[in-house]
Amino acid sequence: MTASPVRVGCCQVSVTVGDTLGNRARVRAAIEAAADAGARIIVLPELANSGYLFADLAELRAVAEPATGPSVREWEQLAQERDLVIVVGFAEAGDDGLIYNSAVLVDKTGRRAVYRKAHLWDREKDNLFTAGSAAPPVVETPWGRIGVAICYDLEFPEWVRSAALDGAELLCCPVNWPLYPRPAGERPSEIVKVQANAAVNRMFIAVADRTGPERGQHWLGGSVVVDAYGFPLTHITLGDETMLLADIDLAEARAKGISARNDVHADRRPSLYSRVTDS
């Protein structure tokens, strides 16, 4: 497969707990606006159909949907109509009766992958979500190989590296980053970690964060597209509803060399890392 340049759009939207129809309408409008702006790969936030701060499991169950539910079906329809790849987070009601913090990748052929967040954050562990155990999926698309991870997963370099080793050239990440204090003039550490993950894996990363207050919590609004050298390709606009666009060629992520004699994959020595991976 030969990749060609493609425009990536990260849609930073506001979401409301329990307002399924309103959330779906906001997500649809954001996808359509990004497509109108030329984006063919579009990323939206974590739990975009449901909101995030649930009072209890009953409230979460009331808005969770199966992967065959109305939200995913609408995204499939949009992908088919506009020839898009869409990655978006949703509260998934599993066939096993459990609820997962999931993300779906759809394209014009339909649903290609569903990923269940493996690393749960804070109150997600409070009898709300069940952690997934499958590695980040990597999907072949007309523009290149796209992987999927969710929010706190990005804190674990082993997890991001697994997607890179499986051939991901672009990692799409729906997130809900809480707003935390930081020193004046400093870039948020969440974005710094994305830059580091991209650089050490020679892989593009596209992050779609959310914005707007929710039950007393404010969000960073740190959506960004980072190139395979770790440099942001989009202006970092914290906090506001926005759409960020970047034109990238995923073929650039296939070469893992960082000097004439160094390659971030070929130079690995996994036999030395067992203490990290096995502990």
Side-chain angles (χ1 to χ4, degrees):
M1 180 199 65
T2 301
S4 57
V6 61
R7 180 163 293 179
V8 177
C10 291
C11 301
Q12 189 162 285
V13 298
S14 178
V15 179
T16 302
V17 167
D19 183 15
T20 303
L21 293 179
N23 292 338
R24 194 183 304 155
R26 284 186 284 274
V27 168
R28 182 185 185 94
I31 292 171
E32 291 175 335
D36 288 344
R40 288 296 169 263
I41 301 172
I42 301 174
V43 191
L44 293 108
E46 179 181 11
L47 296 175
N49 73 322
S50 64
Y52 185 86
L53 291 172
F54 300 98
D56 51 35
L57 181 59
E59 185 177 49
L60 172 56
R61 283 193 181 279
V63 295
E65 302 178 18
T68 55
S71 291
V72 175
R73 288 202 306 271
E74 180 168 278
W75 302 331
E76 288 176 313
Q77 180 183 14
L78 284 167
Q80 182 180 40
E81 291 173 352
R82 305 294 295 267
D83 190 13
L84 305 172
V85 172
I86 301 170
V87 179
V88 54
F90 73 109
E92 181 194 359
D95 292 340
D96 53 8
L98 302 175
I99 308 298
Y100 297 93
N101 183 337
S102 296
V104 64
L105 187 154
V106 299
D107 67 11
K108 65 180 181 180
T109 68
R111 188 175 71 253
R112 299 290 306 279
V114 175
Y115 169 70
R116 293 169 172 174
K117 187 177 183 180
H119 303 92
L120 298 183
W121 172 256
D122 198 39
R123 288 194 61 242
E124 293 175 37
K125 299 180 179 183
D126 291 347
N127 194 32
L128 293 172
F129 294 100
T130 297
S133 56
V138 178
V139 176
E140 197 86 42
T141 77
W143 297 286
R145 295 174 61 82
I146 299 177
V148 180
I150 301 173
C151 203
Y152 189 42
D153 287 328
L154 290 167
E155 301 280 345
F156 299 88
E158 305 92 337
W159 207 237
V160 178
R161 174 59 61 86
S162 73
L165 292 176
D166 283 339
E169 296 151 0
L170 167 65
L171 188 66
C172 292
C173 304
V175 308
N176 280 184
W177 282 336
L179 179 62
Y180 291 127
R182 62 183 183 278
E186 289 291 341
R187 180 168 293 175
S189 61
E190 292 88 348
I191 295 175
V192 173
K193 293 169 190 173
V194 168
Q195 292 182 250
N197 272 317
V200 301
N201 288 292
R202 286 280 302 145
M203 174 175 66
F204 292 92
I205 299 180
V207 173
D209 197 6
R210 63 172 295 183
T211 187
E214 182 181 76
R215 293 182 170 173
Q217 176 68 60
H218 289 263
W219 308 94
L220 177 63
S223 301
V224 66
V225 181
V226 176
D227 71 15
Y229 294 96
F231 297 114
L233 295 171
T234 51
H235 183 67
I236 296 172
T237 304
L238 301 178
D240 298 327
E241 284 199 313
T242 190
M243 174 176 59
L244 303 176
L245 300 170
D247 294 320
I248 64 177
D249 187 341
L250 298 192
E252 295 176 12
R254 294 179 191 161
K256 302 300 181 181
I258 56 173
S259 80
R261 300 177 64 183
N262 292 101
D263 182 299
V264 297
H265 281 190
D267 289 344
R268 294 173 63 250
R269 299 181 65 190
S271 63
L272 304 182
Y273 311 150
S274 59
R275 181 175 179 274
V276 175
T277 58
D278 296 343
S279 62

